[in-house]
Amino acid sequence: MKKFINDPADVVAQALAGVAAAHPELRVEIDEQYIVRADAPRPGKVGLVSGGGSGHEPLHGGFVGPGMLDAACPGEIFTSPVPGQILAATKAVDGGAGVVHIVKNYTGDVMNFQLAAELATEEGISVETVLVDDDVAVEDSTWTAGRRGTGATLLVEKIAGARAEEGGKLAEVAAIGREVNTHSGSFAYALTAGTTPAAGRPGFELPADEIEAGVGIHGEPGRRREKLRPAKELTHAALDAILDAKPFPGPVIVLVNGLGGTPLIELYLIYGEVARHLEERGVRIARQLVGNYVTSLDMAGMSLTLCQATDEMIRLWDAPARTPGLRWGA
Amino acid sequence: MDVALARDWMRAAADLIAADADRLTQLDSAIGDGDHGVNLNRGFTAVVAALEKSPPETVSEVLVKAGATLMSRVGGASGPLYGTALRSAGKALPATAEVAPADLGAALQAGLAAVRKLGGAAPGDKTLVDAFTPALEAFDKAVAQGGGLAEAAGAAARAAEAGAEATVPLQARKGRASYLGERSIGHQDPGATSTSLIFRALADVS
């Protein structure tokens, strides 16, 4: 393992210290481990809190700021935050209008946020939870853990964040977040495994000519192993998996997302294939975003996310955002 | 079990988990994200420190404090699950300096019930429930046949180890391993394995 670290045990705290130094517009609570807008709490504004394991940067801490999240709770690497941490962030952003928790559908995240929401409710804070489960590589089922939350998390945070910023009420902010999730589907490939500092070695071994299809964002293997094929074929297969899983009759917001170890030149090449294939299938692209946004440490790979967008979603997508990881119109 | 033995149990569990942290992490690398050993080791190290800092006076308090510490330090799924197991077990115990084996068995059943409610897992889902459930069956059976704590804990440890090994051919239906579908078959569940270590620790100190 070659990484810029001092001690594998202190990576998250030391990275948070760096975030604090780099972003004076944010407040970073290093002991309690959360990142919050410096102007929080804002009276009357619904607070948005998200979080999850570290290692997915810029998700979630990179999306704290006007137009997106009010606070983010980074857990240990690939490990969800703990209830006390989430409760502290929730209290820090509660301006009296309630708080929305945006939670990716992983067992640990769901349980820790659930416990935190119960504690917050006991303290008189109204909490709504938006569960993100967009990964179509995993079958949806009521008696399993269900689909994973991946790339659509960014879309939920942007669009629900914009709704909260313009004064939406708690139920409205939660509703648009859930609507974005329902309308989104994602699929990912890994070319190599990522390496967590604590483990010190890649999460899995892949022969040079093979890839993992249907991976999530925690370095675990995917649904199946395949031979490496040209980007065009992989992109088509991923798009078809998404389009088969959910109806996309209207315009879509497209996210071509790198998993941390794939350069932009490859992501743009993939976006070109996405644009051509969607045109062939008669799906109109309303908005698009290409880059490393929901990552899995240094995993080489990419995910595709499509969100069937209403006019309202596109309006909120276009609204200003001023965060370290996503910034436009402001 | 008296309060000293309860503290010894937690310390022994911490030692076994520290010694086996790499093995737990390797099991987790196969079907999860490879941090189970690291996370649980961090949590149980904190448990030992918390119990030394302000020593509890009852077995109940030892387990409640251990559970609360795990919940606030571990994160992931292991933190709330093990935290809830120990906290609920502790709360189900009488507030006395010493508890009978039957009381401990009943309290651990309350812990298992709380885990199943929180995680929604049933036996056969390839989770810690697959070690926890047979361990308590063996524990209760030994107590019902007149066995003492040492005998019951030994039976529980062996049953938990067998339960953990029996997760190998299962397909995961809960937790991160479930996302691998059929590829989760053929690997021992890390959570069931760490549960067997905790029961082994109880047998070692009893």
Side-chain angles (χ1 to χ4, degrees), chain A residues 156-242:
Chain A
V156 172
E157 292 177 0
K158 173 68 188 75
I159 291 170
R163 189 74 187 91
E165 199 68 50
E166 67 180 20
K169 292 188 166 38
L170 180 63
E172 294 164 351
V173 174
I176 191 85
R178 290 185 188 120
E179 196 184 351
V180 171
N181 176 58
T182 306
H183 285 71
S184 297
S186 298
F187 192 94
Y189 293 107
L191 306 179
T192 67
T195 299
T196 62
R201 56 182 175 272
F204 52 83
E205 296 294 337
L206 265 180
D209 62 339
E210 292 186 357
I211 62 170
E212 289 278 343
V215 295
I217 52 172
H218 293 103
E220 70 270 41
R223 300 288 289 181
R224 60 182 183 271
R225 190 163 282 191
E226 296 179 358
K227 287 289 177 199
L228 180 60
R229 293 181 282 159
K232 181 178 182 174
E233 291 176 28
L234 294 173
T235 303
H236 289 189
L239 286 174
D240 290 345
I242 298 167

Side-chain angles (χ1 to χ4, degrees), chain B residues 7-29:
Chain B
R7 281 211 305 273
D8 288 347
W9 176 21
M10 290 298 112
R11 205 171 296 126
D15 289 346
L16 282 186
I17 285 162
D20 255 2
D22 279 348
R23 184 168 75 101
L24 292 174
T25 291
Q26 272 169 23
L27 291 173
D28 193 29
S29 290

Side-chain angles (χ1 to χ4, degrees), chain B residues 68-123:
Chain B
T69 305
L70 291 179
M71 233 185 253
S72 67
R73 294 300 287 273
V74 177
S78 318
L81 290 173
Y82 281 118
T84 293
L86 290 177
R87 235 170 70 88
S88 303
K91 284 184 163 182
L93 282 173
T96 50
E98 200 165 341
V99 297
D103 289 341
L104 184 61
L108 291 172
Q109 289 285 6
L112 174 59
V115 163
R116 288 189 56 172
K117 185 163 174 249
L118 182 64

Side-chain angles (χ1 to χ4, degrees), chain A residues 76-80 82-83 105-108 111-112 138 143-146 148 201 203 212 218 220-224, chain B residues 26 29-30 32-33 35 38-39 42 71-77 80-81 118-119 173-176 178-181 183:
Chain A
E76 291 298 317
I77 288 175
F78 293 168
T79 301
S80 74
V82 296
N105 191 30
Y106 286 94
T107 309
M111 288 192 294
N112 284 284
V138 180
W143 62 299
T144 68
R148 294 177 283 221
R201 56 182 175 272
E212 289 278 343
H218 293 103
E220 70 270 41
R223 300 288 289 181
R224 60 182 183 271
Chain B
Q26 272 169 23
S29 290
D33 57 1
D35 62 5
V38 175
N39 286 342
R42 183 177 63 242
M71 233 185 253
S72 67
R73 294 300 287 273
V74 177
L81 290 173
L118 182 64
R173 289 194 293 249
K174 290 287 168 187
R176 225 166 255 182
S178 70
Y179 299 124
L180 303 189
R183 296 180 84 185

